[in-house]
Amino acid sequence: MISESKGKELSQRMRELDIREQDIEEKFIRAQGHGGQHLNKASTCVYLKHIPTGIEVKMQKERSQSINRFLARRLLADKVEQRIMGEKSRIMQEIEKRRRQKRKRSKRAKEKMLEVKKMQSMKKALRGRITE
């Protein structure tokens, strides 16, 4: 299900963050929601608790338990990294990037952008058919 390279990448990341398998408490729970008989029979939801930090993760995104185990470990690594690195973590950088993208443009930047649009519009208007 999960490629070998992704598995190795995750285990390497967990070693870097000092997350050991013996520090993780893992439980399998029956998933909730739509899915019918498959969900009612199989325990596909994965619950992880990192004992040293107390971080808890629950994953039931996919129907497969093995994929959910991988996704839960990846989410756990993200949360541990966020706690350790704080502002420097990848997640915080992504949030900051989105905040900058959504920020309102300055008046000068808006005028410049509108000027470029106006020039483009004029170019397209000049491409039109010549009627004599």
Side-chain angles (χ1 to χ4, degrees), residues 26-96:
E26 184 174 40
K27 293 180 187 174
F28 301 104
I29 310 164
R30 288 211 176 116
Q32 298 172 345
H34 302 291
Q37 188 177 9
H38 180 76
L39 281 182
N40 297 333
K41 289 195 307 187
S43 298
T44 55
C45 181
V46 178
Y47 167 85
L48 297 178
K49 181 176 182 179
H50 187 240
I51 297 166
T53 58
I55 295 174
E56 297 177 351
V57 172
K58 191 175 177 184
M59 180 61 65
Q60 64 176 27
K61 200 171 193 176
E62 300 292 328
R63 285 179 60 173
S64 166
Q65 189 182 76
S66 60
I67 294 174
N68 284 334
R69 285 183 79 200
F70 171 79
L71 294 173
R73 279 174 169 68
R74 194 165 66 182
L75 182 61
L76 180 71
D78 286 344
K79 288 189 174 195
V80 169
E81 180 185 44
Q82 189 173 0
R83 180 173 284 183
I84 292 171
M85 296 184 165
E87 290 293 319
K88 296 178 187 175
S89 75
R90 199 166 23 100
I91 296 167
M92 293 304 285
Q93 288 176 351
E94 193 69 32
I95 290 169
E96 184 58 35

Side-chain angles (χ1 to χ4, degrees), residues 9-19 81 84-85:
E9 197 176 294
L10 178 62
S11 61
Q12 172 66 30
R13 185 167 175 224
M14 287 176 71
R15 273 195 301 275
E16 288 171 2
L17 293 170
D18 196 32
I19 303 172
E81 180 185 44
I84 292 171
M85 296 184 165

Side-chain angles (χ1 to χ4, degrees), residues 108-123:
R108 176 72 183 124
K110 193 171 184 179
E111 287 172 0
K112 191 175 180 181
M113 185 257 316
L114 289 173
E115 185 63 34
V116 170
K117 279 187 164 190
K118 190 175 181 181
M119 294 298 286
Q120 187 68 21
S121 173
M122 288 172 60
K123 263 195 249 178

